[in-house]
Short mmCIF file of all heavy atoms in Angstrom, two decimals:
data_model
loop_
_atom_site.label_atom_id
_atom_site.label_comp_id
_atom_site.label_asym_id
_atom_site.label_seq_id
_atom_site.Cartn_x
_atom_site.Cartn_y
_atom_site.Cartn_z
N MET A 1 -6.98 -9.57 4.92
CA MET A 1 -7.58 -10.44 3.93
C MET A 1 -6.49 -11.12 3.09
O MET A 1 -6.60 -12.30 2.82
CB MET A 1 -8.52 -9.63 3.04
CG MET A 1 -9.66 -8.95 3.78
SD MET A 1 -10.79 -10.10 4.51
CE MET A 1 -11.96 -10.22 3.22
N GLU A 2 -5.49 -10.37 2.71
CA GLU A 2 -4.41 -10.94 1.91
C GLU A 2 -3.64 -12.00 2.69
O GLU A 2 -3.24 -13.01 2.13
CB GLU A 2 -3.46 -9.85 1.41
CG GLU A 2 -4.05 -8.99 0.32
CD GLU A 2 -4.45 -9.79 -0.92
OE1 GLU A 2 -3.67 -10.65 -1.38
OE2 GLU A 2 -5.56 -9.57 -1.42
N ALA A 3 -3.45 -11.77 3.99
CA ALA A 3 -2.72 -12.73 4.82
C ALA A 3 -3.48 -14.05 4.89
O ALA A 3 -2.87 -15.13 4.83
CB ALA A 3 -2.50 -12.16 6.22
N ILE A 4 -4.78 -14.00 5.03
CA ILE A 4 -5.58 -15.23 5.08
C ILE A 4 -5.52 -15.95 3.73
O ILE A 4 -5.37 -17.17 3.68
CB ILE A 4 -7.04 -14.93 5.48
CG1 ILE A 4 -7.09 -14.53 6.95
CG2 ILE A 4 -7.95 -16.11 5.19
CD1 ILE A 4 -8.44 -14.10 7.44
N LYS A 5 -5.60 -15.22 2.65
CA LYS A 5 -5.55 -15.84 1.33
C LYS A 5 -4.23 -16.56 1.10
O LYS A 5 -4.19 -17.62 0.48
CB LYS A 5 -5.76 -14.78 0.24
CG LYS A 5 -7.17 -14.26 0.18
CD LYS A 5 -7.29 -13.19 -0.88
CE LYS A 5 -8.69 -12.58 -0.87
NZ LYS A 5 -8.83 -11.50 -1.86
N LYS A 6 -3.13 -16.00 1.61
CA LYS A 6 -1.80 -16.56 1.38
C LYS A 6 -1.35 -17.55 2.45
O LYS A 6 -0.34 -18.23 2.27
CB LYS A 6 -0.78 -15.43 1.32
CG LYS A 6 -0.97 -14.51 0.14
CD LYS A 6 0.05 -13.39 0.18
CE LYS A 6 -0.17 -12.40 -0.95
NZ LYS A 6 0.80 -11.29 -0.89
N ALA A 7 -2.07 -17.66 3.55
CA ALA A 7 -1.65 -18.48 4.68
C ALA A 7 -1.58 -19.97 4.32
O ALA A 7 -2.43 -20.48 3.60
CB ALA A 7 -2.60 -18.29 5.85
N GLU A 8 -0.57 -20.64 4.85
CA GLU A 8 -0.46 -22.08 4.69
C GLU A 8 -1.34 -22.80 5.69
O GLU A 8 -1.76 -23.93 5.45
CB GLU A 8 0.99 -22.52 4.86
CG GLU A 8 1.89 -22.04 3.75
CD GLU A 8 3.33 -22.51 3.95
OE1 GLU A 8 3.54 -23.55 4.60
OE2 GLU A 8 4.23 -21.83 3.44
N LEU A 9 -1.61 -22.15 6.84
CA LEU A 9 -2.42 -22.74 7.89
C LEU A 9 -3.23 -21.64 8.56
O LEU A 9 -2.69 -20.61 8.95
CB LEU A 9 -1.53 -23.42 8.94
CG LEU A 9 -2.25 -23.98 10.18
CD1 LEU A 9 -3.18 -25.13 9.77
CD2 LEU A 9 -1.23 -24.44 11.20
N VAL A 10 -4.54 -21.88 8.71
CA VAL A 10 -5.42 -20.95 9.41
C VAL A 10 -6.05 -21.69 10.59
O VAL A 10 -6.70 -22.72 10.40
CB VAL A 10 -6.53 -20.40 8.49
CG1 VAL A 10 -7.52 -19.56 9.27
CG2 VAL A 10 -5.92 -19.58 7.36
N LEU A 11 -5.80 -21.19 11.81
CA LEU A 11 -6.38 -21.75 13.01
C LEU A 11 -7.58 -20.92 13.41
O LEU A 11 -7.48 -19.71 13.54
CB LEU A 11 -5.37 -21.73 14.17
CG LEU A 11 -4.09 -22.52 13.97
CD1 LEU A 11 -3.15 -22.28 15.16
CD2 LEU A 11 -4.40 -24.00 13.84
N VAL A 12 -8.72 -21.57 13.59
CA VAL A 12 -9.94 -20.90 14.03
C VAL A 12 -10.21 -21.45 15.43
O VAL A 12 -10.51 -22.63 15.59
CB VAL A 12 -11.11 -21.18 13.07
CG1 VAL A 12 -12.36 -20.49 13.56
CG2 VAL A 12 -10.74 -20.73 11.66
N ILE A 13 -10.11 -20.58 16.43
CA ILE A 13 -10.14 -21.03 17.81
C ILE A 13 -11.20 -20.30 18.61
O ILE A 13 -11.24 -19.07 18.64
CB ILE A 13 -8.76 -20.80 18.48
CG1 ILE A 13 -7.68 -21.56 17.71
CG2 ILE A 13 -8.79 -21.22 19.94
CD1 ILE A 13 -6.27 -21.29 18.19
N GLY A 14 -12.07 -21.06 19.27
CA GLY A 14 -13.01 -20.52 20.24
C GLY A 14 -14.12 -19.65 19.68
O GLY A 14 -14.46 -18.64 20.25
N THR A 15 -14.71 -20.05 18.60
CA THR A 15 -15.82 -19.29 18.01
C THR A 15 -16.88 -20.24 17.48
O THR A 15 -16.58 -21.36 17.05
CB THR A 15 -15.35 -18.37 16.88
OG1 THR A 15 -16.48 -17.70 16.32
CG2 THR A 15 -14.61 -19.12 15.79
N SER A 16 -18.12 -19.81 17.51
CA SER A 16 -19.22 -20.63 16.99
C SER A 16 -19.34 -20.52 15.47
O SER A 16 -20.08 -21.29 14.86
CB SER A 16 -20.53 -20.20 17.63
OG SER A 16 -20.84 -18.87 17.24
N LEU A 17 -18.67 -19.56 14.89
CA LEU A 17 -18.74 -19.32 13.44
C LEU A 17 -20.14 -18.97 12.97
O LEU A 17 -20.51 -19.25 11.85
CB LEU A 17 -18.21 -20.52 12.66
CG LEU A 17 -16.73 -20.80 12.81
CD1 LEU A 17 -16.38 -22.15 12.22
CD2 LEU A 17 -15.91 -19.70 12.13
N GLU A 18 -20.92 -18.35 13.82
CA GLU A 18 -22.28 -17.98 13.45
C GLU A 18 -22.41 -16.53 12.99
O GLU A 18 -23.47 -16.14 12.52
CB GLU A 18 -23.22 -18.25 14.62
CG GLU A 18 -23.35 -19.73 14.92
CD GLU A 18 -24.34 -20.04 16.02
OE1 GLU A 18 -25.05 -19.13 16.47
OE2 GLU A 18 -24.38 -21.21 16.43
N VAL A 19 -21.36 -15.74 13.11
CA VAL A 19 -21.44 -14.32 12.80
C VAL A 19 -20.80 -14.04 11.44
O VAL A 19 -19.65 -14.40 11.19
CB VAL A 19 -20.76 -13.47 13.89
CG1 VAL A 19 -20.80 -12.00 13.54
CG2 VAL A 19 -21.43 -13.71 15.24
N TYR A 20 -21.57 -13.44 10.57
CA TYR A 20 -21.10 -13.01 9.25
C TYR A 20 -20.47 -11.63 9.40
O TYR A 20 -20.98 -10.83 10.15
CB TYR A 20 -22.29 -12.95 8.28
CG TYR A 20 -21.92 -12.50 6.89
CD1 TYR A 20 -21.47 -13.41 5.96
CD2 TYR A 20 -21.99 -11.16 6.53
CE1 TYR A 20 -21.12 -13.01 4.68
CE2 TYR A 20 -21.63 -10.75 5.26
CZ TYR A 20 -21.20 -11.67 4.35
OH TYR A 20 -20.84 -11.27 3.10
N PRO A 21 -19.39 -11.29 8.78
CA PRO A 21 -18.64 -11.99 7.75
C PRO A 21 -17.49 -12.83 8.27
O PRO A 21 -16.81 -13.49 7.50
CB PRO A 21 -18.12 -10.85 6.89
CG PRO A 21 -17.85 -9.75 7.87
CD PRO A 21 -18.95 -9.89 8.92
N VAL A 22 -17.27 -12.85 9.57
CA VAL A 22 -16.13 -13.59 10.12
C VAL A 22 -16.21 -15.07 9.76
O VAL A 22 -15.19 -15.71 9.50
CB VAL A 22 -16.04 -13.40 11.65
CG1 VAL A 22 -14.96 -14.26 12.26
CG2 VAL A 22 -15.80 -11.94 11.97
N ASN A 23 -17.40 -15.63 9.72
CA ASN A 23 -17.53 -17.06 9.41
C ASN A 23 -17.12 -17.38 7.97
O ASN A 23 -16.98 -18.55 7.62
CB ASN A 23 -18.93 -17.57 9.72
CG ASN A 23 -20.01 -16.89 8.90
OD1 ASN A 23 -19.74 -16.03 8.07
ND2 ASN A 23 -21.25 -17.28 9.14
N GLN A 24 -16.91 -16.40 7.15
CA GLN A 24 -16.49 -16.62 5.77
C GLN A 24 -14.97 -16.67 5.62
O GLN A 24 -14.45 -17.17 4.62
CB GLN A 24 -17.03 -15.49 4.87
CG GLN A 24 -18.54 -15.37 4.90
CD GLN A 24 -19.24 -16.63 4.44
OE1 GLN A 24 -19.00 -17.11 3.35
NE2 GLN A 24 -20.10 -17.16 5.29
N LEU A 25 -14.24 -16.15 6.60
CA LEU A 25 -12.79 -16.04 6.49
C LEU A 25 -12.07 -17.38 6.28
O LEU A 25 -11.18 -17.46 5.44
CB LEU A 25 -12.21 -15.31 7.71
CG LEU A 25 -12.63 -13.84 7.84
CD1 LEU A 25 -12.08 -13.25 9.13
CD2 LEU A 25 -12.20 -13.03 6.64
N PRO A 26 -12.43 -18.45 7.01
CA PRO A 26 -11.72 -19.71 6.78
C PRO A 26 -11.84 -20.25 5.36
O PRO A 26 -10.96 -20.96 4.88
CB PRO A 26 -12.39 -20.68 7.77
CG PRO A 26 -12.98 -19.82 8.81
CD PRO A 26 -13.37 -18.55 8.11
N MET A 27 -12.89 -19.90 4.67
CA MET A 27 -13.08 -20.38 3.30
C MET A 27 -12.26 -19.59 2.29
O MET A 27 -12.18 -19.97 1.12
CB MET A 27 -14.56 -20.33 2.93
CG MET A 27 -15.40 -21.30 3.73
SD MET A 27 -17.13 -21.33 3.24
CE MET A 27 -17.66 -19.70 3.73
N MET A 28 -11.63 -18.53 2.74
CA MET A 28 -10.87 -17.67 1.82
C MET A 28 -9.44 -18.15 1.60
O MET A 28 -8.75 -17.65 0.73
CB MET A 28 -10.86 -16.23 2.35
CG MET A 28 -12.23 -15.59 2.38
SD MET A 28 -12.19 -13.95 3.07
CE MET A 28 -11.24 -13.11 1.80
N THR A 29 -8.98 -19.09 2.40
CA THR A 29 -7.59 -19.52 2.29
C THR A 29 -7.44 -20.70 1.34
O THR A 29 -8.37 -21.49 1.17
CB THR A 29 -7.02 -19.91 3.67
OG1 THR A 29 -5.63 -20.17 3.54
CG2 THR A 29 -7.71 -21.12 4.26
N SER A 30 -6.29 -20.81 0.76
CA SER A 30 -5.98 -21.99 -0.05
C SER A 30 -5.17 -22.97 0.78
O SER A 30 -4.88 -24.08 0.34
CB SER A 30 -5.19 -21.58 -1.30
OG SER A 30 -4.00 -20.92 -0.93
N GLY A 31 -4.81 -22.55 2.01
CA GLY A 31 -4.05 -23.41 2.90
C GLY A 31 -4.94 -24.34 3.70
O GLY A 31 -6.15 -24.43 3.49
N LYS A 32 -4.34 -25.04 4.63
CA LYS A 32 -5.06 -25.95 5.52
C LYS A 32 -5.80 -25.15 6.59
O LYS A 32 -5.38 -24.07 6.98
CB LYS A 32 -4.09 -26.92 6.20
CG LYS A 32 -3.33 -27.79 5.24
CD LYS A 32 -4.25 -28.81 4.62
CE LYS A 32 -3.46 -29.74 3.71
NZ LYS A 32 -4.28 -30.68 3.01
N THR A 33 -6.92 -25.70 7.08
CA THR A 33 -7.71 -25.05 8.11
C THR A 33 -7.94 -26.00 9.29
O THR A 33 -8.19 -27.19 9.09
CB THR A 33 -9.07 -24.58 7.57
OG1 THR A 33 -9.75 -25.69 6.99
CG2 THR A 33 -8.91 -23.47 6.54
N VAL A 34 -7.84 -25.44 10.50
CA VAL A 34 -8.08 -26.21 11.73
C VAL A 34 -9.07 -25.43 12.58
O VAL A 34 -8.91 -24.23 12.79
CB VAL A 34 -6.77 -26.42 12.51
CG1 VAL A 34 -7.04 -27.17 13.81
CG2 VAL A 34 -5.75 -27.17 11.66
N TYR A 35 -10.08 -26.13 13.08
CA TYR A 35 -11.12 -25.53 13.92
C TYR A 35 -11.03 -26.16 15.30
O TYR A 35 -11.14 -27.39 15.43
CB TYR A 35 -12.48 -25.79 13.29
CG TYR A 35 -13.68 -25.25 14.03
CD1 TYR A 35 -13.73 -23.94 14.45
CD2 TYR A 35 -14.77 -26.07 14.29
CE1 TYR A 35 -14.85 -23.44 15.11
CE2 TYR A 35 -15.90 -25.58 14.94
CZ TYR A 35 -15.93 -24.27 15.36
OH TYR A 35 -17.04 -23.78 16.00
N ILE A 36 -10.79 -25.33 16.33
CA ILE A 36 -10.70 -25.81 17.71
C ILE A 36 -11.76 -25.08 18.52
O ILE A 36 -11.75 -23.85 18.60
CB ILE A 36 -9.31 -25.53 18.32
CG1 ILE A 36 -8.20 -26.13 17.45
CG2 ILE A 36 -9.24 -26.09 19.74
CD1 ILE A 36 -6.80 -25.73 17.88
N ASN A 37 -12.67 -25.85 19.14
CA ASN A 37 -13.73 -25.24 19.92
C ASN A 37 -14.35 -26.28 20.84
O ASN A 37 -14.31 -27.48 20.56
CB ASN A 37 -14.80 -24.66 18.99
CG ASN A 37 -15.66 -23.63 19.68
OD1 ASN A 37 -15.23 -22.94 20.59
ND2 ASN A 37 -16.90 -23.52 19.24
N LEU A 38 -14.92 -25.83 21.95
CA LEU A 38 -15.57 -26.73 22.89
C LEU A 38 -16.85 -27.29 22.28
O LEU A 38 -17.18 -28.46 22.45
CB LEU A 38 -15.88 -26.00 24.20
CG LEU A 38 -16.58 -26.82 25.28
CD1 LEU A 38 -15.74 -28.04 25.65
CD2 LEU A 38 -16.84 -25.96 26.50
N ASP A 39 -17.55 -26.47 21.56
CA ASP A 39 -18.82 -26.86 20.96
C ASP A 39 -18.68 -26.81 19.44
O ASP A 39 -18.44 -25.75 18.88
CB ASP A 39 -19.90 -25.86 21.40
CG ASP A 39 -21.18 -26.51 21.81
OD1 ASP A 39 -21.26 -27.75 21.78
OD2 ASP A 39 -22.11 -25.76 22.17
N MET A 40 -18.83 -27.93 18.78
CA MET A 40 -18.73 -27.94 17.33
C MET A 40 -20.00 -27.36 16.73
O MET A 40 -21.10 -27.85 16.97
CB MET A 40 -18.53 -29.36 16.80
CG MET A 40 -17.17 -29.92 17.07
SD MET A 40 -15.92 -29.07 16.07
CE MET A 40 -14.66 -28.83 17.30
N SER A 41 -19.86 -26.29 16.01
CA SER A 41 -20.99 -25.59 15.41
C SER A 41 -21.56 -26.37 14.24
O SER A 41 -20.82 -26.92 13.42
CB SER A 41 -20.54 -24.22 14.92
OG SER A 41 -21.55 -23.60 14.18
N GLN A 42 -22.88 -26.40 14.16
CA GLN A 42 -23.53 -27.01 13.00
C GLN A 42 -23.26 -26.17 11.76
O GLN A 42 -23.36 -26.65 10.64
CB GLN A 42 -25.04 -27.10 13.23
CG GLN A 42 -25.43 -28.04 14.33
CD GLN A 42 -26.95 -28.06 14.51
OE1 GLN A 42 -27.70 -27.50 13.71
NE2 GLN A 42 -27.39 -28.70 15.57
N HIS A 43 -22.92 -24.92 11.97
CA HIS A 43 -22.68 -24.00 10.86
C HIS A 43 -21.21 -23.95 10.46
O HIS A 43 -20.84 -23.18 9.60
CB HIS A 43 -23.15 -22.60 11.23
CG HIS A 43 -24.58 -22.57 11.68
ND1 HIS A 43 -25.63 -22.75 10.83
CD2 HIS A 43 -25.12 -22.41 12.91
CE1 HIS A 43 -26.77 -22.69 11.51
NE2 HIS A 43 -26.49 -22.49 12.77
N ALA A 44 -20.39 -24.74 11.12
CA ALA A 44 -18.95 -24.71 10.83
C ALA A 44 -18.71 -25.14 9.38
O ALA A 44 -19.21 -26.15 8.93
CB ALA A 44 -18.20 -25.62 11.78
N THR A 45 -17.94 -24.34 8.70
CA THR A 45 -17.58 -24.66 7.32
C THR A 45 -16.66 -25.87 7.31
O THR A 45 -16.10 -26.24 8.33
CB THR A 45 -16.87 -23.46 6.67
OG1 THR A 45 -15.73 -23.15 7.45
CG2 THR A 45 -17.79 -22.27 6.58
N PRO A 46 -16.49 -26.50 6.18
CA PRO A 46 -15.59 -27.66 6.12
C PRO A 46 -14.16 -27.27 6.50
O PRO A 46 -13.62 -26.28 5.99
CB PRO A 46 -15.65 -28.09 4.66
CG PRO A 46 -16.89 -27.46 4.11
CD PRO A 46 -17.13 -26.22 4.91
N PHE A 47 -13.58 -28.01 7.40
CA PHE A 47 -12.21 -27.78 7.83
C PHE A 47 -11.41 -29.04 7.56
O PHE A 47 -11.94 -30.14 7.52
CB PHE A 47 -12.16 -27.47 9.34
CG PHE A 47 -12.61 -26.08 9.67
CD1 PHE A 47 -13.95 -25.79 9.85
CD2 PHE A 47 -11.69 -25.05 9.80
CE1 PHE A 47 -14.37 -24.50 10.15
CE2 PHE A 47 -12.10 -23.76 10.10
CZ PHE A 47 -13.44 -23.48 10.27
N ASP A 48 -10.09 -28.87 7.42
CA ASP A 48 -9.22 -30.02 7.24
C ASP A 48 -9.14 -30.84 8.53
O ASP A 48 -9.00 -32.06 8.49
CB ASP A 48 -7.83 -29.57 6.80
CG ASP A 48 -7.86 -28.92 5.43
OD1 ASP A 48 -8.25 -29.61 4.47
OD2 ASP A 48 -7.54 -27.73 5.33
N LEU A 49 -9.24 -30.15 9.67
CA LEU A 49 -9.18 -30.82 10.96
C LEU A 49 -10.08 -30.08 11.94
O LEU A 49 -10.05 -28.85 12.01
CB LEU A 49 -7.74 -30.83 11.49
CG LEU A 49 -7.51 -31.42 12.88
CD1 LEU A 49 -7.87 -32.91 12.91
CD2 LEU A 49 -6.06 -31.24 13.29
N LYS A 50 -10.90 -30.84 12.69
CA LYS A 50 -11.73 -30.26 13.75
C LYS A 50 -11.33 -30.92 15.06
O LYS A 50 -11.25 -32.15 15.14
CB LYS A 50 -13.21 -30.51 13.50
CG LYS A 50 -13.78 -29.72 12.35
CD LYS A 50 -15.28 -29.99 12.24
CE LYS A 50 -15.89 -29.23 11.08
NZ LYS A 50 -17.34 -29.45 10.99
N ILE A 51 -11.08 -30.10 16.08
CA ILE A 51 -10.71 -30.60 17.40
C ILE A 51 -11.71 -30.05 18.40
O ILE A 51 -11.81 -28.84 18.58
CB ILE A 51 -9.28 -30.18 17.78
CG1 ILE A 51 -8.28 -30.68 16.74
CG2 ILE A 51 -8.94 -30.70 19.18
CD1 ILE A 51 -6.88 -30.13 16.92
N GLU A 52 -12.44 -30.96 19.05
CA GLU A 52 -13.44 -30.54 20.03
C GLU A 52 -12.84 -30.64 21.43
O GLU A 52 -12.30 -31.68 21.81
CB GLU A 52 -14.68 -31.41 19.93
CG GLU A 52 -15.82 -30.93 20.78
CD GLU A 52 -17.12 -31.66 20.49
OE1 GLU A 52 -17.13 -32.56 19.63
OE2 GLU A 52 -18.13 -31.32 21.11
N GLY A 53 -12.91 -29.53 22.17
CA GLY A 53 -12.41 -29.54 23.53
C GLY A 53 -12.22 -28.13 24.05
O GLY A 53 -12.41 -27.15 23.32
N LYS A 54 -11.84 -28.05 25.34
CA LYS A 54 -11.55 -26.75 25.94
C LYS A 54 -10.25 -26.23 25.34
O LYS A 54 -9.25 -26.95 25.27
CB LYS A 54 -11.43 -26.88 27.45
CG LYS A 54 -12.74 -27.21 28.12
CD LYS A 54 -12.59 -27.24 29.62
CE LYS A 54 -13.94 -27.52 30.27
NZ LYS A 54 -13.82 -27.52 31.74
N ILE A 55 -10.28 -25.00 24.91
CA ILE A 55 -9.16 -24.41 24.17
C ILE A 55 -7.85 -24.54 24.94
O ILE A 55 -6.83 -24.98 24.39
CB ILE A 55 -9.44 -22.92 23.84
CG1 ILE A 55 -10.78 -22.75 23.14
CG2 ILE A 55 -8.30 -22.33 23.03
CD1 ILE A 55 -11.02 -23.63 21.96
N LYS A 56 -7.87 -24.15 26.22
CA LYS A 56 -6.65 -24.19 27.02
C LYS A 56 -6.07 -25.60 27.08
O LYS A 56 -4.86 -25.79 26.92
CB LYS A 56 -6.94 -23.68 28.43
CG LYS A 56 -5.72 -23.63 29.32
CD LYS A 56 -6.06 -23.06 30.69
CE LYS A 56 -4.85 -23.04 31.59
NZ LYS A 56 -5.17 -22.52 32.93
N GLU A 57 -6.93 -26.59 27.29
CA GLU A 57 -6.47 -27.98 27.38
C GLU A 57 -5.93 -28.48 26.05
O GLU A 57 -4.91 -29.17 26.00
CB GLU A 57 -7.60 -28.87 27.88
CG GLU A 57 -8.00 -28.59 29.31
CD GLU A 57 -9.24 -29.34 29.75
OE1 GLU A 57 -9.74 -30.21 28.99
OE2 GLU A 57 -9.72 -29.06 30.86
N VAL A 58 -6.60 -28.15 24.97
CA VAL A 58 -6.15 -28.58 23.64
C VAL A 58 -4.79 -27.97 23.32
O VAL A 58 -3.87 -28.67 22.90
CB VAL A 58 -7.18 -28.20 22.55
CG1 VAL A 58 -6.60 -28.43 21.16
CG2 VAL A 58 -8.46 -28.99 22.73
N LEU A 59 -4.64 -26.68 23.54
CA LEU A 59 -3.38 -26.01 23.22
C LEU A 59 -2.23 -26.48 24.11
O LEU A 59 -1.09 -26.56 23.67
CB LEU A 59 -3.54 -24.49 23.30
CG LEU A 59 -4.50 -23.88 22.26
CD1 LEU A 59 -4.61 -22.38 22.45
CD2 LEU A 59 -4.06 -24.21 20.85
N GLN A 60 -2.52 -26.81 25.38
CA GLN A 60 -1.48 -27.30 26.28
C GLN A 60 -0.96 -28.67 25.84
O GLN A 60 0.18 -29.03 26.13
CB GLN A 60 -2.00 -27.37 27.72
CG GLN A 60 -2.12 -26.02 28.37
CD GLN A 60 -2.74 -26.09 29.77
OE1 GLN A 60 -3.50 -26.99 30.08
NE2 GLN A 60 -2.41 -25.10 30.58
N GLN A 61 -1.78 -29.43 25.15
CA GLN A 61 -1.39 -30.76 24.71
C GLN A 61 -0.53 -30.74 23.44
O GLN A 61 0.09 -31.74 23.09
CB GLN A 61 -2.61 -31.63 24.47
CG GLN A 61 -3.33 -31.98 25.75
CD GLN A 61 -4.58 -32.82 25.51
OE1 GLN A 61 -4.79 -33.33 24.41
NE2 GLN A 61 -5.39 -32.97 26.53
N LEU A 62 -0.49 -29.60 22.77
CA LEU A 62 0.32 -29.49 21.55
C LEU A 62 1.79 -29.45 21.91
O LEU A 62 2.21 -28.76 22.82
CB LEU A 62 -0.05 -28.23 20.77
CG LEU A 62 -1.44 -28.18 20.20
CD1 LEU A 62 -1.67 -26.83 19.51
CD2 LEU A 62 -1.68 -29.31 19.21
N GLU A 63 2.58 -30.19 21.18
CA GLU A 63 4.04 -30.15 21.38
C GLU A 63 4.64 -29.23 20.34
O GLU A 63 4.32 -29.30 19.16
CB GLU A 63 4.62 -31.55 21.24
CG GLU A 63 4.20 -32.48 22.36
CD GLU A 63 4.90 -33.82 22.26
OE1 GLU A 63 6.02 -33.88 21.76
OE2 GLU A 63 4.30 -34.80 22.70
N VAL A 64 5.52 -28.39 20.79
CA VAL A 64 6.15 -27.45 19.87
C VAL A 64 7.57 -27.90 19.60
O VAL A 64 8.29 -28.35 20.40
CB VAL A 64 6.15 -26.03 20.46
CG1 VAL A 64 6.84 -25.06 19.53
CG2 VAL A 64 4.73 -25.61 20.73
#
């Protein structure tokens, strides 16, 4: 819980965010939030960035 609160960036990957209490975790950070999922949930909390797509394909496109 402390790590999420202090994180500069929280990545939420491959979840519908329909299960409590896990769906509350992204709202606990003061940092930026990114949601990556094939299906954008109607219940998804506000994120700084939402990326819709297959997780493997999205992550492979990221340059490090």
Side-chain angles (χ1 to χ4, degrees):
M1 300 295 267
E2 287 300 315
I4 289 175
K5 289 178 184 177
K6 295 178 183 178
E8 292 181 26
L9 175 65
V10 174
L11 299 175
V12 179
I13 301 174
T15 178
S16 64
L17 292 169
E18 293 184 8
V19 178
Y20 179 86
V22 175
N23 62 0
Q24 302 300 304
L25 295 176
M27 293 184 293
M28 295 177 66
T29 187
S30 58
K32 299 289 184 184
T33 55
V34 178
Y35 180 51
I36 305 172
N37 200 29
L38 180 59
D39 225 1
M40 288 290 136
S41 172
Q42 294 179 10
H43 306 288
T45 58
F47 284 85
D48 295 299
L49 177 63
K50 290 183 181 182
I51 302 171
E52 187 170 1
K54 292 184 178 181
I55 307 310
K56 182 178 179 181
E57 293 172 7
V58 170
L59 295 179
Q60 286 176 334
Q61 291 178 12
L62 295 177
E63 292 185 30
V64 178

